[in-house]
Amino acid sequence: MRLPVLFAMLLASAFPLRAETWDEIVSAARGQTVYWNAWGGDERTNDFIRWASERLEADYGVTIQQVKLTDTAEAVTRVIAEKAAGQDEGGSVDMIWINGANFLSMKEQGLLHGPFVEILPNAKYLDLSPGSAATVDFTVPVEGYESPWRLAKYVLIYDNARVDQPPMSMAELLEWSKANPGRFTHPVVDNFMGSTFLKQALIELVPDRDVLQMPASEADFDAVTAPLWSWYDELRPTLWRDGETFPENASVQEQMLNDGVVDISMAFDPASAAAAIEKGLLPETARAYALDGGTIGNISFVAIPYNAAHREGAMVVANFLLDPATQAHAQDISVLGSFSVLDPTKLSGSEKEAFAALPTSPALPTLEELGPTLIEPHPSWMTKIAESWAKRYTQ
Amino acid sequence: MTRSDGRGLRATVLAVVLAGLVLPIAAGLWHTVAAAFGHLPAIGKTEWSLEPWRQFLALPGAWTSVKLTLWTGLASTALSLLVAVGAATWCYGRLGPRAIGRLIAPFLAVPHAALAIGLAFVIAPSGWIARSVSPWATGWSVPPDLAIVHDPLGLSLILGLMVKEVPFLLLVMLAAMSQVPAAAQMRACRALGYGRSQVWLLIVFPQVYVQIRLAVYVVLSFALSVVDVGLVLGPSNPPVLAVALTRWFLAPDTKLILPASAAAIAQALIVLFAILIWRRGEVAVAHLGRAWICRGTRSQTWTWSSSAAAVSAGCCLALGMLALIALALWSVTWRWSFPAALPEMFSVGAWLRPGSGWGRAALNTAVIGVLATGLATVLAVAWLEGEDRAGLPRARWAEGLIYLPLIVPQVAFLYGLQVAFVWAGIAGGVAAVIWAQTLFVFPYVMLALSRSWRALDQRLVSSAAALGAGPIRRLLAIKLPILLRPLLTAAAVGFAVSVAQYLPTLFMGAGRVPTLTTEAVTLSSGSDRRVTAVYATLQSALPFLVYSAALAVPAWAFRNRRGLTGDPA
Amino acid sequence: MNALELIDISITPPGATAPLFPPVTLTIPAGEVLAVMGPSGVGKSTLIDFVGGHLGAGFRASGRVVLDGRDVTQLVPERRGIGILFQDPMLFPHLSVGENLAFGLTRRVARRSERRARVEAALARAGLDGLYDRDPATLSGGQRARAALMRSLLAEPGALLLDEPFAGLDGETRRDFRSFVFAHVKEHVIPVLMVTHDADDAEAAGTRQVVLRHE
């Protein structure tokens, strides 16, 4: 009697049924292991993903296996290699923590599954009105091909035992660095933190910010970026190691701040300083702050490759990440400290309370202190800025 | 009858090697070459062109990367060899090969990446050396802005490679020494009035060099194409070519795969070119040496230079030792800020959480290491036994195939291999990683085992045959037990090689198979040195334990067998 | 007719064009020791290797080896039943003295207790009483040589090859071992082919001598 069952199971695994309704998706997902390809350089994020896996296993029978990446593009490359080999089913990447250029690249090449966001029950907590932060990724329309999971905002971090008055704008930063040569740097521009630093400077220095919302090719790139380069030409010689060498990413720079190699670091996460202090990775006197006039902010997304082997499980994970309880847990500074991506007006009273009850820390700026969130420029600016930076400053 | 059995066995082994090792490399190279000339249907490119090459050379810093690669590769190899030769000169007659072996064996076991991570902490401006002399001697309250680690000239990378390669070359040289009648030659030449160092350099070394040449080329190829050490210690803007092209392969802009493939082929050509330069150098040095010999100058002054080299080698060992201690120390640190010489607060927190990832990584590393090593060892024994039974002479061309993976840079074929593996439907799993690692483990096991195997006194085997023992009984009851020590040593070498594999694990495991090495390298670009240190410490400890076991097991098993306590054969 | 016959044997080493020596034809009756003499390099040991089936890679050989009327030329060494003793005793270093002998002892003795008794008896005859568990490396040169001979004889060979078996020993030990060997081969009544370059050894064998010369 067991044989027909076995045969049916074999058939099912050979020809996965395309689940349509959410209930069907949830039942198809049961027992799946979702290979979530996510940057692995942050232990807190890794811990959070482990926590999510435990919760999901208990509630849905879905487990997450984090594939720790040094660079998100590794996962993109893998999907391309699979497509190259004609593996259009049962791919090894189920879900990717993705943003901006990688998303644009995969979407353009048809490497993504979707649109799937609107199927997720918890999408009801999102502000999906046209032009809202959750519907645009670096000005690229999301169109349901990726689901938000955490909010990021650019901040600078300094040690107030060494620095009394940190620079409050990019212009002040130049003066500060001239006065303290070798005590500031930024991550390599290949890295998104390094390019975000330049984008933040560009937004502050450019006379007309609206031009940055168009593709860079439609603007006079040289003219628009001229103030940026003249500012940077002055800044670079005052940087750590004369601006010849740069830290690989923001984590390395945080370690440099901890070692006292530099006095200012940066992060795309307002809670990172508070969390780092808690983990013994920064001195108690470290503080995060935003620049006057606000800083760049964006939402991190998860996307599902077109050939994902466990796409139902991945959708269950994406839905779980949007749960108000999950978002509140993530906002806890002892966990992730990343601000919620949900629309507060769509939360019920008890759901809101979970957020209000979260602990605070002197190193954690309040929402008011963080100031306004500046919109990301079109991703082509990032690509072109990184290219021209490399041309200008790489021998 | 045995002869044909042996031929069959050898043909089988050769077929396995061809199908399992050579073909995948060829397929990988082919896919990379195709992409380098514009053919990659996956991203819609099917036209053959030279465009990827133009793009590669137009990438910012491409030429600097090429120059840096040649400079760091040749300089680190030449310096390592120089220091190793000088140190061997100094050691000759002072320390026996076994004493030296015991001294440097730990360094052979420790993976490059772990040493590099530890070394970066020791020598950096905010590192242990600076901390231990600050502020009382230097006045530094914050780390000085000095270009150490990631320096544009790649000096830290060269140092990092030397710390690992000097002990390796020293050991290889000592093994080769046993094949040269050095003692007799030494007596004869000293009677002619030549100093000890001079005899070693002019008479003994040239004979030794012939035997270690392959090892030197392997070191050279490795130094030219290493990724993990380059990431941890090398220049960053631009980096050496291997690091740069790995980045291009993994860049968000998928069109970069084409120029990255061109760069990968360029990487292979650079290795070839560097070996040619090296051969030229060999000829030039040999020419100079002969001229020296013909002049007949007797000199004692070289003793000083050999002492200097011995001191340099000692420094390399000391740095390596410090690096390992620093790793262990960081793994139990809570806070350790500059310029404290020792951590201010300790914590074993990172060790208490195997569930945070290192447990699984250590398990994966051990399982993959044991299986890849087992596979490689069985294959090596089958190869050598087939050779014995067939009664055929060694086939140099076949041996050349074995060492192919050591000479051809990994990056040149790994991307293509990934495509080939996916195409064959076996990508992204432990099995693919084991296979890919075996490609690199097998040659080292062969290198480590074949000398002892071939040195086994054939009369022992003939005696067993004359007593009526058939081929299987001869292998199991005579050869393998007598060769237990070299067999286990070779397996330990293979295990260490497996543990150290970074790129093959990353590419073939589709990132799904975290090992101590992939995790340590990933984490080294994160902020938590303490967690990185846990991985790197484990990464060093695991092969070291296996090495110790490889020494201890035969020593215990043969504790009452004086004929087997010394070096084999 | 327990005899070892060598018929028209000619051997060419690897790379050479001419055979080492003119074709050899010999018959050694059971119980007789035939001494083969000749200058070094003439191929005495090579002849022994051919007879035993141990010839290395690349040698070309013709001729036949017949033992007890059975042509063994095409057989693998372990099927020939021809024992061999080298200049070095070649005791297996990982086995005890007794285990070495047990390795040699023919499988026709099957029972464990009987095998042990046979080995102990052989040890006693060789003056090695009570040394079953000893490490062969701790024996004296003469003891090792005797152990090696006993090991060969326990295999009950149809013939025995001696490749300079006394060359590693000196003076009295050498004379003692020589008479020990000859006494035992007489007792076992098997043909023995001995290679030596020492006239004393050949004299001591007290039998026929054949001298190999280069062709």
Side-chain angles (χ1 to χ4, degrees), chain A residues 32-315:
Chain A
Q32 290 187 344
T33 294
V34 175
Y35 287 87
W36 183 0
N37 288 241
W39 178 65
D42 178 35
E43 275 294 305
R44 286 182 309 153
T45 307
N46 302 345
D47 286 343
F48 176 77
I49 293 174
R50 253 192 307 282
W51 170 84
S53 176
E54 284 162 19
R55 293 294 308 273
L56 279 161
E57 185 166 21
D59 295 350
Y60 296 97
V62 172
T63 50
I64 304 173
Q65 182 64 57
Q66 184 189 1
V67 179
K68 291 179 190 160
L69 307 176
T70 31
D71 193 315
T72 303
E74 287 167 27
V76 182
T77 316
R78 209 161 290 137
V79 175
I80 292 170
E82 287 174 357
K83 191 181 181 194
Q87 189 179 0
D88 295 332
E89 294 278 343
S92 67
V93 181
D94 293 324
M95 194 161 98
I96 309 177
W97 172 8
I98 200 167
N99 259 110
N102 285 311
F103 173 64
L104 181 66
S105 164
M106 289 193 81
K107 193 179 164 211
E108 275 180 346
Q109 295 182 62
L111 295 174
L112 291 178
H113 164 66
F116 71 90
V117 175
E118 270 156 45
I119 309 169
L120 309 178
N122 286 333
K124 67 175 184 232
Y125 296 112
L126 292 169
D127 176 6
L128 292 175
S129 58
S132 68
T135 60
V136 183
D137 184 1
F138 289 72
T139 77
V140 179
V142 169
E143 291 167 351
Y145 281 92
E146 53 178 3
S147 169
W149 77 287
R150 63 194 284 186
L151 184 73
K153 194 168 158 79
Y154 182 76
V155 289
L156 293 175
I157 301 169
Y158 70 105
D159 181 355
N160 78 358
R162 285 203 299 267
V163 178
D164 293 331
Q165 195 56 57
M168 293 307 291
S169 69
M170 286 299 172
E172 275 183 46
L173 178 66
L174 174 58
E175 297 313 313
W176 184 90
S177 189
K178 279 180 179 168
N180 303 280
R183 305 298 300 165
F184 178 71
T185 188
H186 60 81
V188 286
V189 176
D190 294 349
N191 179 271
F192 89 102
M193 207 57 235
S195 55
T196 302
F197 168 71
L198 289 184
K199 276 188 294 184
Q200 173 72 28
L202 179 66
I203 292 178
E204 284 192 35
L205 297 168
V206 77
D208 171 22
R209 288 182 188 178
D210 290 341
V211 71
L212 301 178
Q213 293 304 306
M214 304 188 295
S217 53
E218 289 168 25
D220 183 351
F221 182 79
D222 292 338
V224 173
T225 55
L228 174 70
W229 301 126
S230 68
W231 170 82
Y232 192 77
D233 282 337
E234 267 191 84
L235 177 69
R236 194 170 85 105
T238 70
L239 296 179
W240 172 73
R241 290 205 189 165
D242 306 324
E244 300 276 357
T245 298
F246 299 90
E248 207 181 318
N249 56 44
S251 297
V252 173
Q253 193 166 343
E254 180 185 288
Q255 185 169 291
M256 291 165 71
L257 177 66
N258 188 29
D259 286 343
V261 176
V262 292
D263 286 335
I264 298 179
S265 176
M266 55 190 74
F268 216 59
D269 173 2
S272 67
I277 292 170
E278 197 143 307
K279 294 217 150 187
L281 293 174
L282 279 179
E284 299 278 340
T285 45
R287 297 288 177 267
Y289 72 102
L291 298 172
D292 287 344
T295 50
I296 294 179
N298 71 28
I299 287 179
S300 283
F301 294 88
V302 289
I304 303 171
Y306 80 106
N307 63 347
H310 310 112
R311 90 166 44 140
E312 294 83 9
M315 282 158 76

Side-chain angles (χ1 to χ4, degrees), chain B residues 313-408:
Chain B
C315 285
C316 283
L317 293 188
L319 274 177
M321 207 55 101
L322 272 181
L324 295 182
I325 297 170
L327 288 177
L329 204 53
W330 262 110
S331 75
V332 293
T333 290
W334 178 250
R335 267 202 73 71
W336 183 1
S337 53
F338 194 89
L342 287 173
E344 294 134 311
M345 279 169 78
F346 289 93
S347 158
V348 290
W351 284 106
L352 292 179
R353 296 171 56 222
S356 67
W358 64 257
R360 186 168 122 92
L363 188 69
N364 277 346
T365 308
V367 168
I368 294 169
V370 165
L371 291 177
T373 306
L375 204 62
T377 309
V378 167
L379 204 56
V381 167
W383 179 286
L384 291 163
E385 176 68 8
E387 209 173 81
D388 285 359
R389 285 197 202 169
L392 289 173
R394 297 162 59 176
R396 300 274 171 186
W397 63 270
E399 276 176 47
L401 287 182
I402 301 178
Y403 302 123
L404 198 64
L406 303 191
I407 302 288
V408 181

Side-chain angles (χ1 to χ4, degrees), chain B residues 25 42-43 50-51 71 81 108 114 168-169 184 217 221 295 300 307 318 378 391 404 411 415 423 427 439 511 523:
Chain B
I25 291 177
I43 58 168
L50 286 173
E51 191 52 29
W71 153 246
L81 185 62
L108 298 179
F168 173 69
L169 287 174
Y217 293 167
S221 166
R295 231 178 291 142
Q300 300 294 328
S307 302
V378 167
L404 198 64
V411 276
Y415 178 74
W423 179 78
L439 289 181
L523 287 167

